[in-house]
Amino acid sequence: MSQWTSDELNKIGNAEEVQITSVQRDGALGIFVIMWVVCLGDDLYVRSVRGRDGRWFRGVQERHEGRIHGGGVHKDITFVDANEVNDEVDTAYRTKYRRYAGAILNSVLTSGARAATLRLVPRSKP
């Protein structure tokens, strides 16, 4: 798997919001969803606010592939389950989005959202 460049990490990691979609069964891109993203080391993470039962998250589980638009970067990605870093991802969300009211920020810190933590891995087009 390829890695994010430092430029891509900076641009996406500093973006307030990103747009992410999954690749559907037929290979077409689904509807883009606006999400918060955090950078932890050399990796990017997102969470489904509605947890593993959320429609968006279920769609990602079909092929584990998608696309991200954020900070001027447009990249094909692979979604990887990443619950092993939940405490660190919590801290990253609290740090980056601390200016938001408790209920808004807490939506990505619930047990359901934590169970739906995904690492975004860049992939090369075939």
Side-chain angles (χ1 to χ4, degrees):
M1 288 186 209
S2 63
Q3 299 294 317
W4 295 105
T5 67
S6 58
D7 186 54
E8 291 168 336
L9 276 175
N10 286 332
K11 287 179 176 178
I12 296 171
N14 288 325
E16 185 72 14
E17 298 175 326
V18 297
Q19 295 181 12
I20 297 179
T21 187
S22 60
V23 175
Q24 300 175 354
R25 287 183 192 176
D26 64 2
L29 291 177
I31 296 170
F32 279 88
V33 175
I34 296 172
M35 302 185 79
W36 284 353
V37 63
V38 293
C39 185
L40 186 59
D42 291 335
D43 294 309
L44 297 169
Y45 296 88
V46 295
R47 286 183 169 160
S48 170
V49 172
R50 292 185 176 87
R52 299 184 73 82
D53 294 329
R55 182 176 175 212
W56 178 85
F57 188 85
R58 289 191 325 265
V60 165
Q61 299 305 300
E62 293 283 328
R63 292 182 51 158
H64 299 275
E65 296 177 344
R67 187 157 182 83
I68 185 170
H69 295 175
V73 176
H74 305 280
K75 195 83 169 176
D76 291 326
I77 54 176
T78 299
F79 299 98
V80 179
D81 286 329
N83 295 326
E84 71 280 354
V85 292
N86 270 330
D87 291 340
E88 294 91 342
V89 173
D90 282 355
T91 300
Y93 271 114
R94 284 186 182 105
T95 301
K96 182 175 179 180
Y97 296 104
R98 67 182 165 266
R99 70 187 162 283
Y100 288 92
I104 296 170
L105 176 57
N106 288 340
S107 69
V108 294
L109 303 174
T110 66
S111 60
R114 286 172 54 102
T117 301
L118 296 170
R119 183 166 52 98
L120 307 179
V121 178
R123 61 183 171 86
S124 302
K125 292 184 180 184

